[in-house]
Amino acid sequence: MIAAGLALFAAAAAAGARYELGYEPVAERMRVRLCIDAAAAVREFRLQRGGADYVEDLRRERGELRPSGEARWRAADWRAGECLTYVAKLGAVVQGRDREVGSRVGEVLLVAPQAWLLQDATTAGGEAVVTMPPDQAFAPPWQELARDGAATRYTIPATPFGWSAMIAVGRFEETRLRVGDSLARLTILGTTTAGQRATLRGWVERALAAAATGYGDLPLPQVQVVLFAGGRRGPAVGFGQSLRGQGNAVHIQVDANASAAALDADWTAVHEFSHWAHPYLGDDGAWLAEGLASYWQYVLRARSGALTPQQAWSELDAGFGRGLRTADDSRSLAELSQAMHARRAYYAVYWSGAAFWLTADVELRKRSGGRIGIDTALQRFHACCLERKREWGAEEFVAKLDALVGSDVLRREYRAFAARRGFPPLDALYARLGLQRDGDALQLADDAPDAAIRDAIVRRRAPPPTERASSQ
Ligand SMILES: [Zn+2]
């Protein structure tokens, strides 16, 4: 199997770090070999704090390697093509209490790579060939390049060291879903029956197809989806989270017993998948990021047919209502966004942000005679900039979107929204779109000046073809 790994590497151009991983399931250990082609006067390797506890038999194949601080090691006079070898004790990684480092989900280990996969301090990312025993699976957020028997070759995207990532290792199946030109790799953890897994897979497929109605494709060539299936008595879908370390992943808690209808009625999956369309925007840009996902969680489900236009606008209206009721008139949206977690100001921040995207979408469509909306701007951002993994400043991001569609709408609205205290007034926009509140109900009036724009935003569109590529 090592031979297969080497053959896979030979096909690649000289990359930065090259990892070979081989798993020993009984001992729950990963054998790691890390080679770097470029010579250097000094190389420093690192893990996150506490990571030294999970590493055993660490040695440099031809030279000295010295500890140089907490979970750091230095190698002087690194020659081209040198390698390190060690054993990573994955079973130990999941023993701690910090779920951000690792946890055990049934028979499966869920481990943060930064805790056990040594990284050269100056070059993030690299390539990896992973060899697994026959009944064992390895599911990282990395980009899969090729599979050859038990060996799989990946690119490890170069993301900032602190960005969260999780890898599942153990006995489970990873389902590969093709959505247009993109590959989604789905892992369902927890105890489930074959029927429950089929229901959950179908829901994820439909949610991915809905996400692809943003602009006809998923925003990224490869994504990872991890479901944590429990037997909880509660909502069909629980907490969802978007992770960006070493690739893009979405983790969602679900009730294994939920019906397809109950799953489809929930917004969480399409919300999380919508986050793939924007870069990481930091705390300053949390209102932009959450606003886009909150706006699209209803718009894209209407485009895919999961909601009627009436339902989608009613849900958006209900969201704006939650934002208005929890608004904070003493702080600007920019300030509230930075303090969102501390002040638990989620509704106000999310729905002020959604109001920004609706306002910008309508304005762009109005000015372009319906040719350009935020989906066009985000599609062009996808083409030029999305795959460069870095944090974008919030204003830098909207300025780029404006430049891509030749407008000043986004930046102008951005400044007005960021500086505003309290919830944005929507009455004028509602009147133009023909959204009329009638008691608790929302009516759609067809004689409003921008009713056609309202209808175009949520009009049904064909999702890209979706197919199950294979299951391992
Ligand atoms: Zn979100």
Side-chain angles (χ1 to χ4, degrees):
M1 283 308 129
I2 290 294
L6 294 176
L8 287 170
F9 269 140
R18 290 181 287 119
Y19 296 87
E20 285 169 46
L21 308 182
Y23 189 52
E24 298 174 354
V26 176
E28 297 185 326
R29 288 148 52 106
M30 189 71 84
R31 294 201 164 276
V32 181
R33 185 159 185 255
L34 164 57
C35 305
I36 298 180
D37 289 337
V42 177
R43 284 212 175 277
E44 190 164 45
F45 296 92
R46 66 175 169 182
L47 294 172
Q48 72 186 30
R49 187 168 279 276
D53 292 348
Y54 311 131
V55 167
E56 210 168 71
D57 294 338
L58 173 59
R59 57 189 68 151
R60 182 175 170 189
E61 288 180 353
R62 290 182 289 170
E64 235 187 343
L65 183 71
R66 293 172 178 278
S68 67
E70 163 77 35
R72 283 181 174 256
W73 296 265
R74 275 166 74 91
D77 299 320
W78 185 270
R79 283 161 292 175
E82 272 202 75
C83 304
L84 303 176
T85 57
Y86 66 97
V87 171
K89 300 183 286 182
L90 301 191
V93 177
V94 303
Q95 294 302 322
R97 294 202 170 168
D98 189 350
R99 299 180 63 84
E100 303 279 301
V101 174
S103 57
R104 194 182 289 274
V105 186
E107 290 183 74
V108 179
L109 309 181
L110 198 65
V111 287
Q114 296 92 335
W116 59 272
L117 192 66
L118 276 177
Q119 197 175 94
D120 174 43
T122 53
T123 54
E127 287 204 359
V129 171
V130 182
T131 305
M132 297 296 287
D135 59 346
Q136 297 282 317
F138 182 87
W142 307 341
Q143 308 286 295
E144 186 183 294
L145 295 175
R147 298 206 291 178
D148 182 356
T152 306
R153 187 173 122 227
Y154 299 93
T155 297
I156 305 174
T159 54
F161 191 70
W163 287 12
S164 299
M166 281 288 167
I167 297 176
V169 185
R171 287 185 61 167
F172 59 89
E173 54 182 42
E174 185 180 63
T175 304
R176 302 149 57 76
L177 307 170
R178 287 229 159 262
V179 182
D181 292 334
S182 297
L183 175 67
R185 291 181 289 110
L186 168 65
T187 294
I188 301 172
L189 302 180
T191 308
T192 50
T193 65
Q196 289 169 334
R197 288 195 295 281
T199 301
L200 291 168
R201 267 199 307 269
W203 167 60
V204 170
E205 281 173 336
R206 290 189 294 280
L208 288 167
T213 64
Y215 45 76
D217 239 325
L218 287 183
L220 297 161
Q222 272 195 41
V223 291
Q224 185 192 29
V225 180
V226 181
L227 301 184
F228 297 81
R232 299 166 307 109
R233 271 182 221 180
V237 183
F239 186 66
Q241 193 182 11
S242 170
L243 286 72
R244 293 175 181 267
Q246 303 189 2
N248 286 74
V250 162
H251 292 190
I252 307 178
Q253 294 172 352
V254 292
D255 178 357
N257 299 306
S259 66
L263 293 164
D264 286 341
D266 187 274
W267 51 264
T268 307
V270 178
H271 175 103
E272 297 303 335
F273 299 164
S274 294
H275 279 307
W276 290 331
H278 66 77
Y280 181 61
L281 295 167
D283 287 345
D284 281 353
W287 66 273
L288 278 182
E290 296 304 344
L292 178 65
S294 300
Y295 178 50
W296 264 8
Q297 75 195 26
Y298 297 121
V299 167
L300 303 192
R301 282 161 71 223
R303 289 183 187 176
S304 75
L307 298 176
T308 64
Q310 167 77 44
Q311 287 171 323
W313 290 112
S314 298
E315 294 279 12
L316 286 167
D317 180 53
F320 295 138
R322 290 193 291 278
L324 178 63
R325 282 192 296 279
T326 56
D328 182 341
D329 293 339
S330 70
R331 284 179 173 75
S332 71
L333 180 53
E335 290 164 346
L336 200 59
S337 185
Q338 281 175 327
M340 178 175 75
H341 294 292
R343 306 194 65 81
R344 305 192 63 76
Y346 300 109
Y347 284 150
V349 170
Y350 279 42
W351 288 100
S352 296
F356 162 81
W357 289 104
L358 171 61
T359 303
D361 206 2
V362 170
E363 194 61 29
L364 285 175
R365 287 166 190 271
K366 212 172 155 64
R367 288 174 169 222
S368 64
R371 285 181 305 109
I372 287 171
I374 60 159
D375 28 19
T376 325
L378 291 164
Q379 182 176 28
R380 291 179 185 173
F381 187 83
H382 166 176
C384 74
C385 308
L386 187 58
E387 279 193 73
R388 268 179 265 150
K389 309 283 186 197
R390 67 169 178 96
E391 178 172 342
W392 283 66
E395 186 158 1
E396 177 194 19
F397 173 55
V398 293
K400 183 71 187 178
L401 294 180
D402 264 341
L404 290 168
V405 295
S407 89
D408 61 355
V409 167
L410 286 127
R411 195 152 32 155
R412 187 162 38 72
E413 293 296 342
Y414 169 86
R415 287 183 177 158
F417 272 73
R420 186 182 287 117
R421 290 161 197 266
F423 200 73
L426 292 174
D427 289 351
L429 185 63
Y430 265 47
R432 273 172 30 215
L433 293 174
L435 302 175
Q436 298 175 346
R437 286 201 195 87
D438 181 7
D440 281 346
L442 189 78
Q443 306 291 341
L444 307 186
D446 286 334
D447 55 355
D450 293 336
I453 289 177
R454 176 198 73 206
D455 292 346
I457 287 171
V458 294
R459 184 167 297 136
R460 285 285 295 265
R461 32 203 101 173
T466 303
E467 65 179 274
R468 206 162 297 163
S470 69
S471 193
Q472 86 184 23

